[in-house]
RNA sequence: GCGCUGCUAGCUCAACUGGAUAGAGCACCAGAUUUCGAAUCUGGGGGUUAUAGGUUCGACUCCUAUGUGGCGCACCA
């Protein structure tokens, strides 16, 4: 039930009819025509720009065309109370009482489907997000991408798509070797009192390694930890799984569950890299060659080598990319190409990757590779989440990985809570750096949009409590013949925008639109609520402690939208705060 | 040097994929609580949307150039 789409179709059909009769000319595409909300100072419900789009090809002024159309539009539609033409050529429409009653009836009885986008073709999505190195618990930097990916999944699921949430475990390569060594030294420290070589910059100094080491010792009493070389393979597997345990706990505390964890080592061991490379070779995207040094390197330490390269320049990348190191082992890129080949083999319609800002430069080459393998453009969509600037007591808070002093997800969630973390992290476009102010996020006041929205739901709940009706039960009405006031229609109009909000959030993968919408809806509601102070007629419950059906349904549909929005964002809607 | 990304009120940000007089919150000023919960609301001041061009009926939105901030530019992952 998207009123904007319904009227867009009506208008398009009308002008097509007129075109068949030879009364007007149509442009090649009707894409430019849209139906929107008029600015608030106009007392109308929807508006359209048709006449502006048709103006040029018909060589008439938009105003003339608009005047030609309005009578025809009105004649075909019994819900229009008033239709007029405004300045440049907009057509404004105001609906009558019957219209709004039908609207309320529809979204009240079918509230579960309200907002769901039925126009989109149902697709199979694979969304990869977080994929942090399994070398320790998650820190704040991982948080934003994690929440972004989770909420994008929720939106897609809300629209009835099939979604698989996947975590790629980078358990192959040098970082894992360093990590395993660090765990090894911690074990030696505990068992033999050998001091951990803290001065070695390649090792991971964090205290969590001690916990991991302790767990490994107590769970693997039979293992001999004397020589690193003898147990490195075994230890790697154990250490990575310990670290994944921590990561999964962190994700759980944020309310995030991945459907699938996939291991890089498995991909390499299954020879998937070799097979994807031979596939690309057949298509002539691979060659032996040399790449130029990057400008920033001064050319000093740069050695030109002949190596296996992928022709990503064919797809608009600035240079071709290396697949193999000089010791013949695979680069990260090579195994990632294999991983994406693996994704493609599983027959998804669309792949989505959520990346951190520091990986933005990587997008071109991996989308190139996916295009080369699949032969289709835009099969892989990469979404970048920008940095989070931490602020504590008004001052920026720096994290240092070397010192091992950084804020973990655990710290964050225990301090500000899951809901506030999710809501605030989403309250901005992911293209923009985000200030995350600890002191403000903890504050339960108007500074904090989460509580503002939750408070709206709590207020509605309190009305239901007062009249002894369970807010979670469905209300039954047959007679929808209510007289809504101007202020109520303002809120109904806001509610009518909900499907549009979902549609944009979904098509642009911009979940931040949802918290922003909910905030606006809550704002309209709070404003309406306060009118009851001056004017007792506007209170939901009258002096006789009775609430009219009209107001009951009205409250119910607001609470339904807030609830379903908050569910997508992944936060609670408490009935009392 | 190259690439990606941002630049909107004093501050933090919106603006429905090109629409009408660019909107909120914070801060500032002035008001509203015998309440259906003040974790709220009402009103006020505050803008050449970084700058200069271009595209068109119409630009915060698209294009070009410049300035400026962030991130990236490996055989790392």
């Amino acid at each position: 039930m998207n009123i904007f789409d319904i009227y867009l179709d009506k208008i398009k059909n009308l002008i097509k009819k007129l075109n068949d009769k030879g009364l007007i000319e149509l442009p090649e595409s009707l894409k430019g025509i849209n139906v929107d909300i008029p600015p608030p100072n106009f007392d109308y419900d929807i508006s359209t720009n048709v006449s502006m789009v048709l103006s040029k090809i018909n060589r008439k002024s938009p105003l003339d065309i608009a005047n030609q159309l309005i009578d025809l539009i009105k004649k075909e539609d019994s819900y229009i109370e008033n239709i007029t033409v405004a300045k440049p050529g907009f057509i404004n429409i105001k609906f009558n009482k019957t219209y709004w009653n039908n609207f309320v009836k529809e979204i009240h009885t079918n509230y579960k489907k309200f907002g769901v986008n039925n126009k989109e073709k149902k697709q199979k999505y694979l969304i990869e997000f977080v994929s942090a190195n399994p070398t320790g618990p998650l820190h704040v930097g991982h948080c934003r991408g994690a929440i972004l990916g989770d909420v994008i999944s929720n939106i897609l699921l809300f629209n009835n798509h099939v979604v698989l949430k996947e975590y790629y475990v980078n358990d192959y390569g040098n970082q894992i070797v360093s990590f395993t060594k660090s765990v090894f030294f911690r074990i030696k420290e505990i068992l033999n009192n050998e001091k951990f070589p803290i001065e070695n910059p390649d090792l991971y100094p964090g205290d969590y390694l001690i916990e991991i080491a302790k767990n490994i010792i107590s769970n693997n009493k039979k293992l001999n930890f004397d020589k690193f070389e003898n147990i490195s393979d075994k230890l790697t597997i154990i250490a990575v799984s310990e670290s994944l345990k921590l990561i999964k706990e962190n994700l759980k505390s944020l309310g995030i569950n991945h459907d699938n964890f996939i291991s890089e080592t498995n991909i390499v061991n299954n020879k998937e890299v070799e097979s994807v490379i031979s596939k690309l070779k057949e298509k002539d995207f691979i060659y032996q060659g040399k790449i130029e040094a990057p400008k920033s390197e001064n050319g000093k330490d740069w050695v030109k080598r002949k190596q296996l390269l992928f022709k990503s320049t064919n797809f608009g990348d600035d240079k071709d990319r290396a697949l193999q190191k000089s010791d013949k082992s695979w680069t990260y890129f090579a195994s990632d190409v294999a991983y994406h080949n693996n994704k493609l083999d599983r027959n998804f319609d669309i792949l989505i990757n959520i990346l951190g800002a520091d990986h933005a430069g990587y997008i071109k080459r991996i989308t190139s590779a996916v295009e080369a393998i699949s032969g289709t453009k835009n099969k892989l969509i990469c979404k970048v989440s920008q940095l989070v600037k931490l602020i504590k007591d008004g001052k920026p808070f720096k994290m240092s990985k070397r010192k091992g002093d950084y804020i973990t997800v655990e710290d964050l969630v225990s301090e500000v809570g899951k809901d506030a973390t999710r809501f605030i992290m989403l309250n901005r476009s992911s293209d923009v750096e985000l200030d995350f102010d600890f002191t403000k996020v903890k504050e339960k006041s108007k500074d904090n949009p989460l509580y503002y929205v939750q408070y709206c739901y709590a207020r509605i709940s309190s009305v239901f409590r007062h009249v002894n009706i369970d807010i979670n039960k469905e209300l039954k009405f047959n007679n929808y013949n209510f007289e809504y006031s101007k202020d109520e229609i303002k809120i109904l109009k806001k509610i009518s925008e909900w499907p549009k909000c979902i549609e944009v959030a979904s098509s642009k993968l911009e979940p931040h639109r949802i918290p922003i919408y909910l905030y606006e809806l809550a704002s309209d509601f709070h404003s309406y609520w306060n009118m009851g102070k001056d004017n007792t007629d506007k209170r939901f419950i009258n002096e006789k402690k009775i609430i009219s059906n009209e107001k009951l349904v009205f409250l119910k549909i607001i609470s339904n939208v807030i609830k379903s929005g908050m569910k997508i964002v992944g936060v609670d809607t408490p009935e009392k705060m």
Side-chain angles (χ1 to χ4, degrees), chain A residues 298-362:
Chain A
N298 303 326
K300 265 186 188 171
D301 306 324
W302 185 259
V303 188
K304 263 196 189 180
R305 301 188 184 79
K306 212 170 180 200
Q307 56 193 160
L308 207 57
L309 298 174
F310 166 65
K311 288 184 186 171
S312 51
T313 43
N314 283 16
F315 304 91
D317 202 358
D318 21 317
K319 58 172 88 168
D320 292 334
R321 303 293 172 175
L323 293 160
Q324 205 166 27
K325 305 180 199 171
S326 51
D327 67 358
K328 299 290 172 195
S329 66
W330 300 115
T331 62
Y332 172 78
F333 177 58
S335 59
D336 207 24
V337 172
Y339 170 45
H340 281 81
N341 182 52
N342 179 303
K343 288 183 186 177
L344 290 168
D345 283 345
R346 285 181 275 159
N347 287 319
F348 290 95
D349 298 311
I350 297 173
L351 308 178
I352 299 176
N353 287 2
I354 308 291
L355 303 169
D358 49 342
H359 287 67
Y362 188 75

Side-chain angles (χ1 to χ4, degrees), chain A residues 213-231:
Chain A
K214 278 182 189 161
N215 285 344
I216 292 176
I217 295 167
S218 63
N219 294 333
N220 300 278
K221 297 231 162 75
K222 287 177 197 156
L223 274 187
N224 180 348
F225 295 106
D226 289 346
K227 266 200 145 173
F228 180 72
E229 290 71 27
N230 295 343
I231 53 154

Side-chain angles (χ1 to χ4, degrees), chain A residues 37-46 81-84 92-95 100 485-487 489-490 493:
Chain A
I37 304 120
N41 45 317
F42 289 84
D43 183 26
Y44 288 92
D45 300 325
I46 57 170
E81 181 173 298
N82 194 9
I83 180 166
T84 57
N92 286 319
I93 296 175
K94 189 173 168 65
F95 295 122
W100 287 116
S485 72
K486 221 176 168 179
D487 306 307
I489 287 177
K490 190 184 170 202
K493 272 161 81 173

Side-chain angles (χ1 to χ4, degrees), chain A residues 16-253:
Chain A
K16 274 179 201 157
K17 245 193 257 168
L18 292 175
N19 183 44
D20 291 343
K21 289 183 192 163
L23 292 172
I24 53 169
E25 298 286 319
L26 294 187
E28 281 177 26
S29 157
L30 299 181
K31 229 183 148 190
I33 301 174
N34 44 40
V35 175
D36 280 315
I37 304 120
N41 45 317
F42 289 84
D43 183 26
Y44 288 92
D45 300 325
I46 57 170
S47 76
T48 173
N49 64 345
V50 221
S51 43
M52 257 97 86
V53 177
L54 297 181
S55 157
K56 195 170 188 181
I57 192 153
N58 288 288
R59 290 191 210 107
K60 277 185 180 176
S61 87
L63 289 170
D64 288 343
I65 295 180
N67 282 314
Q68 183 187 349
L69 290 176
I70 53 171
D71 291 336
L72 297 168
I73 295 175
K74 188 164 184 185
K75 211 162 58 181
E76 303 218 340
D77 196 320
S78 59
Y79 297 126
I80 294 177
E81 181 173 298
N82 194 9
I83 180 166
T84 57
V85 179
K87 232 186 349 188
F90 288 100
I91 293 174
N92 286 319
I93 296 175
K94 189 173 168 65
F95 295 122
N96 61 21
K97 182 179 152 188
T98 320
Y99 174 85
W100 287 116
N101 273 286
N102 287 348
F103 175 73
V104 171
K105 184 179 181 182
E106 167 68 24
I107 66 170
H108 179 243
T109 46
N110 284 324
Y111 68 97
K112 278 181 187 155
K113 287 186 196 153
F114 180 54
V116 175
N117 189 343
N118 295 315
K119 281 185 300 183
E120 284 176 348
K121 203 179 136 204
K122 301 300 164 229
Q123 308 256 45
K124 254 180 92 182
Y125 284 86
L126 185 150
I127 177 164
E128 181 206 336
F129 62 109
V130 189
S131 298
N133 289 336
T135 54
L138 298 179
H139 57 78
V140 181
H142 297 118
C143 228
R144 193 173 186 191
I147 294 165
L148 184 68
D150 193 48
V151 178
I152 287 176
S153 314
N154 285 347
I155 295 171
L156 295 172
L157 288 167
F158 183 76
N159 282 336
N160 294 322
H161 295 292
V162 177
V163 180
L164 185 85
K165 296 181 269 183
E166 192 157 276
Y167 188 119
Y168 183 46
V169 184
N170 300 130
D171 52 0
Y172 177 85
N174 294 332
Q175 285 189 217
I176 291 300
V177 177
S178 303
F179 169 67
T180 311
K181 270 187 190 158
S182 309
V183 173
F184 178 76
F185 284 123
R186 286 298 185 193
I187 291 173
K188 297 290 265 186
E189 186 179 52
I190 295 165
L191 292 179
N192 306 348
N193 238 336
E194 292 171 29
K195 201 175 177 312
F196 184 84
I198 197 87
E199 67 290 342
N200 184 341
D202 291 334
L203 296 180
Y204 289 80
D207 286 345
Y208 62 88
L209 285 169
I210 300 172
E211 288 303 310
I212 291 179
K214 278 182 189 161
N215 285 344
I216 292 176
I217 295 167
S218 63
N219 294 333
N220 300 278
K221 297 231 162 75
K222 287 177 197 156
L223 274 187
N224 180 348
F225 295 106
D226 289 346
K227 266 200 145 173
F228 180 72
E229 290 71 27
N230 295 343
I231 53 154
S232 73
D233 286 351
K234 177 113 196 176
L235 191 57
T236 303
I237 295 170
I238 301 171
V240 165
S241 95
E242 283 292 327
S243 150
L244 271 178
K245 230 187 263 171
L246 292 175
I247 290 172
K248 284 179 187 173
E249 249 168 58
N250 291 156
L251 290 170
K252 201 178 157 198
S253 75

Side-chain angles (χ1 to χ4, degrees), chain A residues 255-311:
Chain A
I256 297 168
N257 287 304
H258 283 82
D259 302 309
N260 198 18
F261 285 75
I262 193 157
S263 149
E264 182 178 4
T265 304
N266 280 351
I267 297 219
V268 174
N269 290 347
N270 290 343
K271 304 280 174 202
E272 294 187 35
V273 183
E274 283 84 346
S275 82
V276 74
I277 283 178
S278 67
K279 207 175 193 177
L280 288 169
K281 251 181 197 160
E282 274 170 33
K283 298 187 181 181
D284 198 27
F285 290 123
I286 301 253
Y287 68 106
Q288 287 281 344
K290 293 173 182 176
I291 40 175
E292 293 298 316
K295 297 277 185 208
S296 65
E297 289 287 314
N298 303 326
K300 265 186 188 171
D301 306 324
W302 185 259
V303 188
K304 263 196 189 180
R305 301 188 184 79
K306 212 170 180 200
Q307 56 193 160
L308 207 57
L309 298 174
F310 166 65
K311 288 184 186 171

Side-chain angles (χ1 to χ4, degrees), chain A residues 411-423:
Chain A
D411 299 337
L412 183 69
V413 172
S414 67
E415 194 154 343
V416 305
K418 177 199 87 169
D419 286 355
T421 305
R422 291 184 71 111
F423 202 92

